[in-house]
């Protein structure tokens, strides 16, 4: 609405005082609601800098924003972030690419060129005394400029590159297996999809969270509506954009899994396929039994994670 658009403009310019007079914006009369609009606007505008505190001045009817860095530093880094986003876009995005191809190109670029900053992943911190490395790791600057950051940096870097590549993308916050996390929603050829580059950048379960649906990650990625208030407008329910589906590596029924795995294991020592969400341990054991007894596959190990089944010969 108008109030949120107004706050977003001031956030993008990284102002420390944002006037929200009730006379101009009646919604500002409900401070909790106004703050929720502010939070969403902040989360969806990654070049806004890192905010440590937000207060309200009743005298001036304004939000008072405290940043972790001074204005010159914040604006300099924002400029570098945008410049880097365009450089990456010019390097990997070509004319005629579909949305799926663009997402894949950006995902692979960060998988190949960025690393997770485990030192900055701690959550118990003193917001009044943060190191520059920690701040950078929690804004796009870490991944997009230094190639080093945490999930927040991966997510926000993706949003910047996606937007300059003419795509709609959003940041989403919540939990991953109960721990704080940030990832993305992106509009892929007409369908909203969930993307988590941080967890796509692994050795075995590669791209396990690439264009997945809400149903596929239920109980794994649990969203908090602080970043996306009208969640129902961005529901992800199209499985046909998912990485393993597109590459012929998914099954709709576990009864199909043993044949697909046996076929793949003829040419590879380690294979991963997408299995139906909610598959039980007993069902997976039955699949492995079929591989051994029917297809005569000898393997070293098998394991399931994020609705993916990995079998190693």
């Amino acid at each position: 609405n108008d109030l949120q658009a107004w706050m977003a403009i001031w956030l993008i310019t990284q102002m420390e005082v944002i006037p929200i007079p009730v006379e101009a914006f009646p919604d500002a009369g409900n401070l909790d609601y106004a703050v929720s609009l502010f939070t969403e606007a902040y989360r969806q505008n990654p070049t806004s800098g890192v905010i440590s505190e937000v207060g309200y001045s009743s005298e001036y009817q304004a939000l008072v924003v405290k940043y972790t860095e001074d204005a010159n530093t914040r604006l300099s880094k924002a400029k570098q972030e945008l410049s880097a986003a365009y450089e990456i876009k010019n390097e990997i995005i070509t004319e005629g690419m579909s949305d799926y191809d663009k997402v894949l190109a950006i995902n692979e670029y960060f998988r190949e060129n960025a690393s997770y900053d485990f030192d900055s992943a701690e959550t118990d911190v003193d917001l009044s005394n943060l190191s520059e490395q920690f701040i950078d790791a929690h804004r796009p600057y870490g991944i997009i400029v230094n190639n080093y950051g945490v999930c927040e940096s991966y997510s926000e870097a993706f949003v910047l590159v996606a937007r300059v590549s003419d795509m709609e993308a959003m940041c989403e916050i919540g939990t991953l297996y109960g721990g704080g996390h940030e990832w993305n929603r992106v509009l892929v050829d007409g369908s909203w999809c969930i993307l988590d580059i941080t967890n796509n950048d692994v050795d075995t379960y590669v791209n396990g969270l690439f264009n997945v649906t809400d149903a596929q990650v239920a109980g794994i990625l649990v969203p908090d509506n602080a970043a996306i208030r009208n969640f129902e407008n961005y529901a992800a329910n199209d499985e046909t954009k998912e990485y393993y589906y597109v590459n012929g590596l998914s099954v709709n029924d576990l009864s199909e899994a043993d044949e697909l795995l046996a076929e793949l294991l003829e040419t590879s020592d380690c294979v991963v396929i997408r299995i139906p969400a909610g598959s039980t341990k007993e069902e997976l054991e039955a699949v492995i039994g079929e591989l051994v007894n029917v297809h005569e596959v000898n393997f070293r190990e098998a394991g399931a994670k994020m609705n993916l089944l990995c079998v190693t010969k």
Side-chain angles (χ1 to χ4, degrees):
N1 61 19
D2 290 344
L3 174 58
Q4 189 178 47
W6 170 258
M7 291 191 290
I9 292 170
W10 290 71
L11 270 168
I12 292 169
T13 52
Q14 302 188 8
M15 300 303 290
E16 297 176 4
V17 178
I18 302 178
I20 51 172
V22 176
E23 294 81 4
F25 304 105
D27 288 335
N30 182 336
L31 187 57
D32 289 339
Y33 176 64
V35 170
S36 73
L37 293 177
F38 172 88
T39 301
E40 183 181 35
Y42 170 55
R43 287 293 184 176
Q44 301 307 338
N45 288 284
T47 58
S48 299
V50 177
I51 293 174
S52 61
E53 185 178 340
V54 180
Y56 178 73
S57 169
S58 56
E59 180 180 1
Y60 296 103
Q61 293 187 15
L63 295 176
V64 181
V65 183
K66 183 177 180 180
Y67 295 88
T68 57
E69 296 176 301
D70 63 75
N72 288 335
T73 300
R74 296 197 310 271
L75 292 170
S76 173
K77 288 183 177 179
K79 181 178 179 180
Q80 292 178 66
E81 288 165 347
L82 287 170
S83 177
Y86 276 102
E87 288 177 6
I88 294 170
K89 175 250 184 181
N90 291 335
E91 177 182 342
I92 66 175
I93 304 299
T94 58
E95 187 175 355
M97 271 187 169
S98 66
D99 289 343
Y100 179 92
D101 291 336
K102 290 179 181 179
V103 175
L104 182 61
I106 301 170
N107 181 83
E108 296 307 291
Y109 177 88
F110 287 126
R111 283 206 321 113
E112 294 172 8
N113 294 283
S115 299
Y116 192 83
D117 183 359
F118 289 96
D119 291 337
S120 297
E122 59 181 307
T123 56
D124 186 14
V125 297
D126 179 2
L127 292 175
S128 64
N129 186 31
L130 299 177
S131 68
E132 184 175 17
Q133 176 182 328
F134 185 93
I135 295 170
D136 290 345
H138 287 78
R139 63 177 295 169
Y141 194 90
I143 290 295
I144 208 166
V145 177
N146 293 334
N147 302 324
Y148 199 55
V150 298
C151 59
E152 195 169 356
S153 189
Y154 274 95
S155 170
E156 295 178 2
F158 171 79
V159 162
L160 292 186
V161 180
R163 288 178 180 170
V164 301
S165 302
D166 300 319
M167 299 188 68
E168 291 188 50
M170 308 178 72
C171 296
E172 184 163 18
I173 59 174
T175 61
L176 170 69
Y177 295 123
H181 192 49
E182 182 168 324
W183 60 94
N184 297 109
R185 285 184 185 256
V186 56
L187 190 62
V188 182
D189 303 316
S191 300
W192 283 100
C193 299
I194 297 169
L195 178 77
D196 184 351
I197 298 180
T198 308
N199 285 290
N200 287 338
D201 189 10
V202 294
D203 293 331
T204 302
Y205 298 93
V206 176
N207 291 338
L209 295 173
F210 185 101
N211 290 355
V212 289
T213 66
D214 288 306
Q216 287 173 327
V217 294
I220 299 173
L221 291 174
V222 180
D224 178 340
N225 66 359
I228 304 175
R229 297 180 63 257
N230 298 317
F231 184 81
E232 63 277 5
N233 295 337
Y234 309 99
N237 51 32
D238 184 356
E239 296 182 0
T240 66
K241 307 295 192 302
E242 192 270 327
Y243 178 84
Y244 284 80
Y245 179 95
V246 170
N247 288 280
L249 299 172
S250 68
V251 294
N252 294 318
D253 191 297
L254 269 182
S255 63
E256 308 166 3
D258 60 311
E259 292 188 5
L260 177 58
L261 287 167
E263 177 185 342
L264 295 171
L265 286 167
E266 290 180 2
T267 56
S268 177
D269 287 341
C270 181
V271 298
V272 181
I273 65 170
R274 170 79 62 193
I275 57 177
S279 299
T280 66
K281 179 181 178 181
E282 291 73 20
E283 290 173 326
L284 295 176
E285 289 175 347
V287 171
I288 299 303
E290 287 289 307
L291 285 175
V292 174
N293 298 323
V294 177
H295 299 282
E296 299 182 347
V297 173
N298 294 317
F299 61 91
R300 292 197 306 272
E301 57 186 346
K305 184 179 181 182
M306 297 186 296
N307 301 318
L308 296 172
L309 177 59
C310 173
V311 177
T312 303
K313 290 172 68 175

